[in-house]
Amino acid sequence: KFLITLHDGKFFPKVNLSNIYETETLLDRATLKLNRLQALGCLQNVNDALELGSGNGEMLYAKGFDDINLTCCDYRIERHKTFEAKMLSKGKRGQFIELDIENNLQDIKGSFDLVFSSSVMEHFRSPESTLKKIYNKLSPGGMLYADFATFGAPYAIHRKIFTGIPYIQAFVPDH
């Protein structure tokens, strides 16, 4: 009830989440990620890239990864299979692997010029150990790009996105 009271439009703007997982919205989000990586110079001289926490796997269909062998991984593959069924005509640019990143990252074969993730690191129980595993997957001279929630993590950024309320994590305890 508290959240509904705050979120009735008087205190914070209403957020329309009805299309957050629609195909075009996901592809738009993938394009924004790709543009950010390009602007930061993360895609220069990259042949092999690994995305951690790929969700639906929309990066596999983003324009701009044409010359990069992209591996996407997430702990559940169901969302990707649903998304992939809608995208058959687009042409996939790599592979999607179902994987517990924190415990089984070493199972992915090979090394990567770029490892990137968005809003994933705050979910690891042992981020330091996981970062060491990520480092071991980098090619010599490879790069890790990660953005993540910092205030009140875990789930800090997700709570703001899904409620529209800044710093909502200060009011709602972690579960």
mmCIF file of all heavy atoms in Angstrom, residues 15-30 56 58 79 83 86 157-164:
data_model
loop_
_atom_site.group_PDB
_atom_site.id
_atom_site.type_symbol
_atom_site.label_atom_id
_atom_site.label_comp_id
_atom_site.label_asym_id
_atom_site.label_seq_id
_atom_site.Cartn_x
_atom_site.Cartn_y
_atom_site.Cartn_z
ATOM 1 N N VAL A 15 5.066 5.022 -14.142
ATOM 2 C CA VAL A 15 5.943 4.347 -15.089
ATOM 3 C C VAL A 15 5.119 3.309 -15.824
ATOM 4 O O VAL A 15 4.457 2.477 -15.206
ATOM 5 C CB VAL A 15 7.125 3.666 -14.367
ATOM 6 C CG1 VAL A 15 7.984 2.904 -15.353
ATOM 7 C CG2 VAL A 15 7.951 4.705 -13.626
ATOM 8 N N ASN A 16 5.156 3.357 -17.146
ATOM 9 C CA ASN A 16 4.433 2.380 -17.947
ATOM 10 C C ASN A 16 5.391 1.253 -18.311
ATOM 11 O O ASN A 16 6.302 1.445 -19.114
ATOM 12 C CB ASN A 16 3.883 3.048 -19.215
ATOM 13 C CG ASN A 16 3.142 2.060 -20.097
ATOM 14 O OD1 ASN A 16 3.019 0.879 -19.773
ATOM 15 N ND2 ASN A 16 2.654 2.540 -21.221
ATOM 16 N N LEU A 17 5.196 0.097 -17.717
ATOM 17 C CA LEU A 17 6.066 -1.047 -17.974
ATOM 18 C C LEU A 17 5.423 -2.067 -18.903
ATOM 19 O O LEU A 17 5.946 -3.153 -19.081
ATOM 20 C CB LEU A 17 6.425 -1.730 -16.650
ATOM 21 C CG LEU A 17 7.200 -0.860 -15.663
ATOM 22 C CD1 LEU A 17 7.381 -1.600 -14.352
ATOM 23 C CD2 LEU A 17 8.529 -0.461 -16.239
ATOM 24 N N SER A 18 4.311 -1.689 -19.514
ATOM 25 C CA SER A 18 3.563 -2.661 -20.309
ATOM 26 C C SER A 18 4.349 -3.191 -21.504
ATOM 27 O O SER A 18 4.104 -4.287 -21.956
ATOM 28 C CB SER A 18 2.241 -2.057 -20.780
ATOM 29 O OG SER A 18 2.491 -0.929 -21.606
ATOM 30 N N ASN A 19 5.309 -2.433 -22.003
ATOM 31 C CA ASN A 19 6.037 -2.903 -23.196
ATOM 32 C C ASN A 19 7.526 -3.138 -22.925
ATOM 33 O O ASN A 19 8.308 -3.226 -23.851
ATOM 34 C CB ASN A 19 5.868 -1.908 -24.343
ATOM 35 C CG ASN A 19 6.563 -0.593 -24.062
ATOM 36 O OD1 ASN A 19 6.937 -0.305 -22.923
ATOM 37 N ND2 ASN A 19 6.728 0.216 -25.077
ATOM 38 N N ILE A 20 7.909 -3.277 -21.650
ATOM 39 C CA ILE A 20 9.332 -3.380 -21.330
ATOM 40 C C ILE A 20 9.994 -4.620 -21.945
ATOM 41 O O ILE A 20 11.174 -4.605 -22.244
ATOM 42 C CB ILE A 20 9.564 -3.314 -19.807
ATOM 43 C CG1 ILE A 20 11.032 -3.046 -19.520
ATOM 44 C CG2 ILE A 20 9.068 -4.567 -19.115
ATOM 45 C CD1 ILE A 20 11.324 -2.634 -18.111
ATOM 46 N N TYR A 21 9.251 -5.692 -22.159
ATOM 47 C CA TYR A 21 9.829 -6.900 -22.747
ATOM 48 C C TYR A 21 9.355 -7.133 -24.186
ATOM 49 O O TYR A 21 9.500 -8.228 -24.710
ATOM 50 C CB TYR A 21 9.543 -8.125 -21.879
ATOM 51 C CG TYR A 21 10.305 -8.082 -20.575
ATOM 52 C CD1 TYR A 21 9.649 -7.951 -19.367
ATOM 53 C CD2 TYR A 21 11.693 -8.139 -20.568
ATOM 54 C CE1 TYR A 21 10.353 -7.886 -18.176
ATOM 55 C CE2 TYR A 21 12.403 -8.067 -19.386
ATOM 56 C CZ TYR A 21 11.726 -7.942 -18.194
ATOM 57 O OH TYR A 21 12.426 -7.874 -17.021
ATOM 58 N N GLU A 22 8.808 -6.113 -24.817
ATOM 59 C CA GLU A 22 8.423 -6.224 -26.228
ATOM 60 C C GLU A 22 9.690 -6.260 -27.088
ATOM 61 O O GLU A 22 10.717 -5.653 -26.743
ATOM 62 C CB GLU A 22 7.532 -5.056 -26.643
ATOM 63 C CG GLU A 22 6.180 -5.039 -25.957
ATOM 64 C CD GLU A 22 5.327 -6.249 -26.316
ATOM 65 O OE1 GLU A 22 5.359 -6.689 -27.477
ATOM 66 O OE2 GLU A 22 4.638 -6.756 -25.416
ATOM 67 N N THR A 23 9.612 -6.928 -28.203
ATOM 68 C CA THR A 23 10.761 -7.130 -29.072
ATOM 69 C C THR A 23 11.459 -5.824 -29.432
ATOM 70 O O THR A 23 12.678 -5.703 -29.287
ATOM 71 C CB THR A 23 10.319 -7.862 -30.362
ATOM 72 O OG1 THR A 23 9.705 -9.091 -29.982
ATOM 73 C CG2 THR A 23 11.496 -8.129 -31.270
ATOM 74 N N GLU A 24 10.726 -4.829 -29.883
ATOM 75 C CA GLU A 24 11.351 -3.569 -30.304
ATOM 76 C C GLU A 24 12.000 -2.838 -29.139
ATOM 77 O O GLU A 24 13.061 -2.239 -29.287
ATOM 78 C CB GLU A 24 10.345 -2.672 -31.024
ATOM 79 C CG GLU A 24 9.924 -3.210 -32.382
ATOM 80 C CD GLU A 24 11.109 -3.558 -33.292
ATOM 81 O OE1 GLU A 24 12.054 -2.743 -33.409
ATOM 82 O OE2 GLU A 24 11.094 -4.657 -33.880
ATOM 83 N N THR A 25 11.390 -2.890 -27.963
ATOM 84 C CA THR A 25 11.977 -2.253 -26.782
ATOM 85 C C THR A 25 13.297 -2.922 -26.423
ATOM 86 O O THR A 25 14.281 -2.253 -26.117
ATOM 87 C CB THR A 25 11.006 -2.339 -25.584
ATOM 88 O OG1 THR A 25 9.767 -1.746 -25.952
ATOM 89 C CG2 THR A 25 11.567 -1.640 -24.362
ATOM 90 N N LEU A 26 13.334 -4.244 -26.476
ATOM 91 C CA LEU A 26 14.564 -4.975 -26.178
ATOM 92 C C LEU A 26 15.653 -4.658 -27.199
ATOM 93 O O LEU A 26 16.813 -4.469 -26.836
ATOM 94 C CB LEU A 26 14.289 -6.476 -26.144
ATOM 95 C CG LEU A 26 13.438 -6.951 -24.967
ATOM 96 C CD1 LEU A 26 12.992 -8.387 -25.181
ATOM 97 C CD2 LEU A 26 14.189 -6.800 -23.664
ATOM 98 N N LEU A 27 15.286 -4.580 -28.461
ATOM 99 C CA LEU A 27 16.272 -4.255 -29.493
ATOM 100 C C LEU A 27 16.772 -2.822 -29.343
ATOM 101 O O LEU A 27 17.957 -2.547 -29.544
ATOM 102 C CB LEU A 27 15.691 -4.485 -30.888
ATOM 103 C CG LEU A 27 15.463 -5.947 -31.255
ATOM 104 C CD1 LEU A 27 14.752 -6.056 -32.592
ATOM 105 C CD2 LEU A 27 16.769 -6.721 -31.278
ATOM 106 N N ASP A 28 15.894 -1.898 -28.971
ATOM 107 C CA ASP A 28 16.311 -0.518 -28.709
ATOM 108 C C ASP A 28 17.311 -0.474 -27.562
ATOM 109 O O ASP A 28 18.312 0.238 -27.617
ATOM 110 C CB ASP A 28 15.113 0.385 -28.383
ATOM 111 C CG ASP A 28 14.238 0.658 -29.588
ATOM 112 O OD1 ASP A 28 14.677 0.394 -30.729
ATOM 113 O OD2 ASP A 28 13.105 1.131 -29.392
ATOM 114 N N ARG A 29 17.024 -1.234 -26.503
ATOM 115 C CA ARG A 29 17.922 -1.285 -25.355
ATOM 116 C C ARG A 29 19.276 -1.882 -25.757
ATOM 117 O O ARG A 29 20.332 -1.410 -25.317
ATOM 118 C CB ARG A 29 17.268 -2.119 -24.259
ATOM 119 C CG ARG A 29 17.590 -1.649 -22.881
ATOM 120 C CD ARG A 29 16.713 -2.241 -21.830
ATOM 121 N NE ARG A 29 16.803 -3.694 -21.796
ATOM 122 C CZ ARG A 29 15.901 -4.473 -21.241
ATOM 123 N NH1 ARG A 29 14.837 -3.964 -20.687
ATOM 124 N NH2 ARG A 29 16.053 -5.771 -21.221
ATOM 125 N N ALA A 30 19.265 -2.888 -26.604
ATOM 126 C CA ALA A 30 20.513 -3.488 -27.083
ATOM 127 C C ALA A 30 21.312 -2.474 -27.896
ATOM 128 O O ALA A 30 22.538 -2.393 -27.762
ATOM 129 C CB ALA A 30 20.208 -4.728 -27.926
ATOM 130 N N ASN A 56 17.330 -11.764 -22.287
ATOM 131 C CA ASN A 56 16.663 -12.317 -23.470
ATOM 132 C C ASN A 56 17.624 -12.612 -24.617
ATOM 133 O O ASN A 56 17.232 -13.209 -25.601
ATOM 134 C CB ASN A 56 15.596 -11.340 -23.968
ATOM 135 C CG ASN A 56 14.503 -11.163 -22.958
ATOM 136 O OD1 ASN A 56 13.660 -12.018 -22.790
ATOM 137 N ND2 ASN A 56 14.534 -10.038 -22.254
ATOM 138 N N GLU A 58 19.101 -10.232 -26.463
ATOM 139 C CA GLU A 58 18.847 -9.269 -27.541
ATOM 140 C C GLU A 58 20.122 -8.758 -28.210
ATOM 141 O O GLU A 58 20.099 -8.349 -29.361
ATOM 142 C CB GLU A 58 17.994 -8.094 -27.047
ATOM 143 C CG GLU A 58 18.557 -7.321 -25.895
ATOM 144 C CD GLU A 58 18.087 -7.821 -24.539
ATOM 145 O OE1 GLU A 58 17.579 -8.946 -24.416
ATOM 146 O OE2 GLU A 58 18.270 -7.064 -23.578
ATOM 147 N N ARG A 79 13.663 -17.285 -21.294
ATOM 148 C CA ARG A 79 13.376 -15.965 -21.874
ATOM 149 C C ARG A 79 14.029 -15.818 -23.242
ATOM 150 O O ARG A 79 13.454 -15.252 -24.157
ATOM 151 C CB ARG A 79 13.852 -14.856 -20.936
ATOM 152 C CG ARG A 79 12.968 -14.711 -19.741
ATOM 153 C CD ARG A 79 13.369 -13.655 -18.758
ATOM 154 N NE ARG A 79 14.302 -12.650 -19.195
ATOM 155 C CZ ARG A 79 15.036 -11.920 -18.365
ATOM 156 N NH1 ARG A 79 14.952 -12.094 -17.073
ATOM 157 N NH2 ARG A 79 15.871 -11.022 -18.826
ATOM 158 N N PHE A 83 12.224 -15.119 -26.944
ATOM 159 C CA PHE A 83 12.669 -13.983 -27.751
ATOM 160 C C PHE A 83 13.200 -14.459 -29.102
ATOM 161 O O PHE A 83 12.890 -13.894 -30.145
ATOM 162 C CB PHE A 83 13.746 -13.204 -26.995
ATOM 163 C CG PHE A 83 14.169 -11.928 -27.667
ATOM 164 C CD1 PHE A 83 13.327 -10.830 -27.679
ATOM 165 C CD2 PHE A 83 15.406 -11.824 -28.277
ATOM 166 C CE1 PHE A 83 13.704 -9.643 -28.285
ATOM 167 C CE2 PHE A 83 15.792 -10.648 -28.888
ATOM 168 C CZ PHE A 83 14.934 -9.558 -28.886
ATOM 169 N N LYS A 86 10.744 -15.102 -31.857
ATOM 170 C CA LYS A 86 10.233 -13.901 -32.522
ATOM 171 C C LYS A 86 11.250 -13.318 -33.508
ATOM 172 O O LYS A 86 10.910 -12.503 -34.341
ATOM 173 C CB LYS A 86 9.909 -12.818 -31.485
ATOM 174 C CG LYS A 86 8.810 -13.196 -30.532
ATOM 175 C CD LYS A 86 8.634 -12.096 -29.493
ATOM 176 C CE LYS A 86 7.624 -12.501 -28.452
ATOM 177 N NZ LYS A 86 7.516 -11.498 -27.384
ATOM 178 N N ILE A 157 19.104 -0.807 -8.566
ATOM 179 C CA ILE A 157 18.733 -0.195 -9.840
ATOM 180 C C ILE A 157 17.437 -0.794 -10.371
ATOM 181 O O ILE A 157 16.614 -0.106 -10.944
ATOM 182 C CB ILE A 157 19.872 -0.275 -10.867
ATOM 183 C CG1 ILE A 157 19.636 0.707 -12.015
ATOM 184 C CG2 ILE A 157 20.051 -1.668 -11.403
ATOM 185 C CD1 ILE A 157 19.800 2.143 -11.604
ATOM 186 N N HIS A 158 17.235 -2.075 -10.158
ATOM 187 C CA HIS A 158 16.022 -2.715 -10.652
ATOM 188 C C HIS A 158 14.788 -2.149 -9.972
ATOM 189 O O HIS A 158 13.767 -1.957 -10.593
ATOM 190 C CB HIS A 158 16.086 -4.225 -10.455
ATOM 191 C CG HIS A 158 17.271 -4.840 -11.119
ATOM 192 N ND1 HIS A 158 17.442 -4.807 -12.475
ATOM 193 C CD2 HIS A 158 18.352 -5.465 -10.619
ATOM 194 C CE1 HIS A 158 18.581 -5.405 -12.778
ATOM 195 N NE2 HIS A 158 19.151 -5.803 -11.675
ATOM 196 N N ARG A 159 14.895 -1.911 -8.687
ATOM 197 C CA ARG A 159 13.746 -1.354 -7.984
ATOM 198 C C ARG A 159 13.387 0.017 -8.538
ATOM 199 O O ARG A 159 12.219 0.349 -8.661
ATOM 200 C CB ARG A 159 14.028 -1.277 -6.493
ATOM 201 C CG ARG A 159 13.997 -2.644 -5.852
ATOM 202 C CD ARG A 159 14.073 -2.510 -4.363
ATOM 203 N NE ARG A 159 14.067 -3.834 -3.763
ATOM 204 C CZ ARG A 159 14.730 -4.159 -2.680
ATOM 205 N NH1 ARG A 159 15.446 -3.261 -2.061
ATOM 206 N NH2 ARG A 159 14.660 -5.367 -2.203
ATOM 207 N N LYS A 160 14.372 0.838 -8.843
ATOM 208 C CA LYS A 160 14.063 2.157 -9.394
ATOM 209 C C LYS A 160 13.416 2.012 -10.776
ATOM 210 O O LYS A 160 12.430 2.667 -11.077
ATOM 211 C CB LYS A 160 15.303 3.036 -9.501
ATOM 212 C CG LYS A 160 14.954 4.407 -10.065
ATOM 213 C CD LYS A 160 16.175 5.249 -10.284
ATOM 214 C CE LYS A 160 15.831 6.621 -10.771
ATOM 215 N NZ LYS A 160 15.077 6.685 -11.986
ATOM 216 N N ILE A 161 13.963 1.147 -11.599
ATOM 217 C CA ILE A 161 13.418 0.966 -12.950
ATOM 218 C C ILE A 161 11.966 0.505 -12.881
ATOM 219 O O ILE A 161 11.110 1.019 -13.582
ATOM 220 C CB ILE A 161 14.266 -0.045 -13.751
ATOM 221 C CG1 ILE A 161 15.619 0.580 -14.096
ATOM 222 C CG2 ILE A 161 13.538 -0.503 -15.011
ATOM 223 C CD1 ILE A 161 16.610 -0.407 -14.668
ATOM 224 N N PHE A 162 11.671 -0.461 -12.028
ATOM 225 C CA PHE A 162 10.341 -1.045 -12.014
ATOM 226 C C PHE A 162 9.329 -0.249 -11.188
ATOM 227 O O PHE A 162 8.146 -0.470 -11.307
ATOM 228 C CB PHE A 162 10.394 -2.500 -11.547
ATOM 229 C CG PHE A 162 11.009 -3.386 -12.584
ATOM 230 C CD1 PHE A 162 12.283 -3.884 -12.431
ATOM 231 C CD2 PHE A 162 10.321 -3.692 -13.744
ATOM 232 C CE1 PHE A 162 12.853 -4.676 -13.410
ATOM 233 C CE2 PHE A 162 10.881 -4.487 -14.725
ATOM 234 C CZ PHE A 162 12.151 -4.973 -14.558
ATOM 235 N N THR A 163 9.796 0.677 -10.357
ATOM 236 C CA THR A 163 8.845 1.474 -9.585
ATOM 237 C C THR A 163 8.846 2.928 -10.006
ATOM 238 O O THR A 163 7.880 3.634 -9.789
ATOM 239 C CB THR A 163 9.158 1.430 -8.068
ATOM 240 O OG1 THR A 163 10.416 2.050 -7.846
ATOM 241 C CG2 THR A 163 9.133 0.017 -7.543
ATOM 242 N N GLY A 164 9.965 3.393 -10.591
ATOM 243 C CA GLY A 164 10.076 4.801 -10.938
ATOM 244 C C GLY A 164 10.409 5.672 -9.739
ATOM 245 O O GLY A 164 10.472 6.885 -9.844
#
